Amino acid sequence: GLGESDALAGGLVTVERMAETMLALLDRFGIERAVAYGQHTGALVATEMGLTAPDRIAGVLIGGYPIYTVEESSHRFTSYAPQL
């Protein structure tokens, strides 16, 4: 939603919460084991899924893993989605 999605109940969205949600989605579809793919933030989520549920995640494919210095992270946080 790039910041325009409705807020989730329970507070801040974290990578851990997104991974839990994706694993719950696999449950909902009856998928016992899968390969997770993620790009940028999704790469963090796919990695978290693999770390927390290695019995469920057969592999992790990532594209564009977001590794930033503190300065780069701060700049992205303040300028990523400016108001139009």
Side-chain angles (χ1 to χ4, degrees):
L2 297 175
E4 297 297 326
S5 299
D6 293 337
L8 295 178
L12 186 64
V13 175
T14 64
V15 169
E16 293 81 8
R17 286 187 71 196
M18 288 187 275
E20 290 171 10
T21 300
M22 293 305 297
L23 289 167
L25 182 64
L26 293 178
D27 291 340
R28 181 76 153 212
F29 285 115
I31 300 169
E32 294 179 20
R33 193 157 165 81
V35 173
Y37 170 78
Q39 181 173 338
H40 300 261
T41 302
L44 298 174
V45 175
T47 300
E48 183 68 19
M49 291 171 69
L51 290 171
T52 60
D55 56 320
R56 308 268 327 265
I57 303 302
V60 174
L61 302 171
I62 57 174
Y65 206 82
I67 300 174
Y68 303 109
T69 66
V70 172
E71 293 81 16
E72 291 167 331
S73 182
S74 177
H75 175 69
R76 288 185 63 80
F77 183 76
T78 59
S79 65
Y80 182 73
Q83 294 290 338
L84 299 176

